Amino acid sequence: MTATPGNHEAPILDVRGLRISIASDEGPAQVLDNVDLTIGPGRIVGVVGESGCGKSTVIRAVLAVLPRGAVVEHGSILFDGENLLELGPREMTRRIRGKEISFIPQDPYLALNPVFRIGTQLLEIMRWHAPRGAEGGSSRYDRAVRRRHREQLIELLRIVQVPDPDRALERYPHQFSGGQRQRLLIAGALACRPRLVIADEPTTALDVTTQLEILKLLRRLSNELDVSMLFVTHDFGVVAQLCDEVNVIYAGQSVETGATADILETPRHPYTQALIGCHPDRSEDLAGIPGAVPSPLAPPSGCRFHPRCASATAICRERRPERVWLGDGRSVDCVLYHETVGAASGD
């Protein structure tokens, strides 16, 4: 018997049972297998896992930019109650991507085109995705609309603390530091006032001091603008500073979810415990995780983490564990807790 989650405010993003495979020369690769993810209004949710666990595929699925050969075999991606998997490419581009859901890329040094001014690049985003009807009653992108967009953009650059924002629009990417470029990308992601921002490890290429500044900025902007955020990372230190909730993914499967403070204080799944044990700020005795993430072409039977898990039993190798709800929206997919909950309930 498992506990069930309580009722919560309707989520902005609700991914349920997402299963995706990608065709390869060696057969289909099961890159995601029953991934669940929920983001409430104004919340920042971190998706954590090692490289190769499927974090980027989750992003691509939400944005509908999966690679050629990818097949969504099961599940749904509900954005404000609408299943994005049922929308065609034209509809996603026209109504959702860039307008309602925006993206902050990982590397600020590669994301901006070096031959165009910053203003040209950011105004192009607003040209195609910012609403115009409410501003002037016309769908034409004339000088008046462009002028309004420029004024809005300058104000947004002030908000993200880019120095001298008016002149910044006339400069080229190479004239900015890495931290300033990341602020420009954040401004671009927020330019059309989206309801959800997806950030793919946006601080990885930055030094520690600049990383902290960017994280504080994202936290403040999320609060002030009431924007929900999906933050993909492999670093629990980043999660601790920024995220309200955490979704731990291993080998394409969700294994633990819950409030950040709860998971950092009492991680339940052995994989979550191992990840935290690898972080210098979270563990006194650093220890790596033996083995490697299994290939999606030939995942192990049962629990996918069992070949690397010190707590694995025979049943872990035989069948996949059921999800156990521990209360307050917290869950863990581990047979150890399924047996504990069953024993406690008298089953």
Side-chain angles (χ1 to χ4, degrees):
M1 176 179 179
T2 58
T4 55
N7 294 324
H8 299 283
E9 188 177 359
I12 291 294
L13 182 71
D14 192 12
V15 178
R16 290 295 166 196
L18 189 62
R19 187 185 305 134
I20 296 176
S21 65
I22 299 178
S24 73
D25 293 339
E26 301 176 54
Q30 197 74 54
V31 290
L32 293 184
D33 184 15
N34 200 33
V35 167
D36 293 334
L37 174 67
T38 301
I39 304 178
R43 306 289 285 178
I44 301 179
V45 175
V47 174
V48 186
E50 295 171 275
S51 297
C53 282
K55 303 187 301 297
S56 295
T57 304
V58 172
I59 291 177
R60 285 176 167 268
V62 174
L63 293 172
V65 289
L66 288 167
R68 189 182 298 250
V71 177
V72 179
E73 299 177 349
H74 184 267
S76 61
I77 303 175
L78 300 181
F79 177 70
D80 202 19
E82 182 177 22
N83 191 354
L84 300 183
L85 296 178
E86 297 177 354
L87 301 182
R90 185 186 298 271
E91 192 74 1
M92 278 293 299
T93 300
R94 186 179 68 84
R95 291 201 297 112
I96 305 296
R97 190 171 48 237
K99 182 176 297 184
E100 297 287 343
I101 303 177
S102 63
F103 178 66
I104 303 174
Q106 181 175 6
D107 194 336
Y109 293 94
L110 298 178
L112 293 168
N113 193 318
V115 302
F116 290 103
R117 300 179 193 271
I118 293 299
T120 301
Q121 298 184 57
L122 297 186
L123 285 170
E124 190 71 4
I125 296 173
M126 301 186 74
R127 174 182 180 180
W128 293 107
H129 298 293
R132 280 175 250 165
E135 294 174 349
S138 170
S139 61
R140 293 177 59 249
Y141 195 73
D142 53 25
R143 291 183 179 180
V145 175
R146 183 180 175 85
R147 183 166 56 251
R148 292 191 198 96
H149 282 176
R150 182 183 175 87
E151 292 170 355
Q152 293 169 7
L153 191 55
I154 290 173
E155 179 58 28
L156 189 55
L157 293 185
R158 289 196 182 96
I159 293 174
V160 300
Q161 301 171 357
V162 172
D164 197 2
D166 200 350
R167 294 182 58 188
L169 295 180
E170 304 303 322
R171 298 165 66 187
Y172 291 89
H174 72 270
Q175 296 176 283
F176 296 88
S177 66
Q180 290 173 338
R181 293 189 200 193
Q182 197 59 275
R183 292 172 188 271
L184 292 170
L185 293 176
I186 293 171
L190 296 173
C192 301
R193 297 296 189 263
R195 302 184 63 194
L196 174 66
V197 173
I198 298 177
D200 183 13
E201 303 195 49
T203 60
T204 300
L206 306 176
D207 62 79
V208 176
T209 302
T210 305
Q211 180 183 93
L212 181 60
E213 293 176 354
I214 295 299
L215 293 177
K216 288 181 178 178
L217 175 63
L218 290 172
R219 175 81 266 182
R220 181 173 63 83
L221 292 175
S222 176
N223 291 335
E224 292 179 357
L225 302 178
D226 194 29
V227 175
S228 301
M229 189 174 298
L230 169 58
F231 195 97
V232 172
T233 183
H234 62 274
D235 189 344
F236 262 104
V238 171
V239 168
Q241 296 174 43
L242 180 67
C243 299
D244 301 305
E245 300 158 32
V246 183
N247 188 310
V248 182
I249 291 181
Y250 179 74
Q253 297 179 344
S254 298
V255 298
E256 184 168 3
T257 62
T260 300
D262 293 340
I263 287 184
L264 291 176
E265 184 67 25
T266 55
R268 302 295 189 184
H269 198 282
Y271 180 58
T272 310
Q273 296 169 0
L275 282 178
I276 294 177
C278 294
H279 199 282
D281 293 339
R282 298 286 157 184
S283 176
E284 295 181 358
D285 301 320
L286 291 179
I289 307 176
V293 177
S295 168
L297 290 166
S301 60
C303 173
R304 290 191 175 180
F305 188 60
H306 85 257
R308 308 173 71 187
C309 180
S311 303
T313 63
I315 196 171
C316 300
R317 293 185 285 273
E318 295 171 1
R319 64 181 175 87
R320 179 174 177 173
E322 298 178 13
R323 180 153 303 165
V324 179
W325 290 96
L326 305 175
D328 296 326
R330 186 165 185 188
S331 71
V332 60
D333 290 27
C334 182
V335 69
L336 299 176
Y337 297 94
H338 180 262
E339 293 173 348
T340 300
V341 171
S345 63
D347 290 349

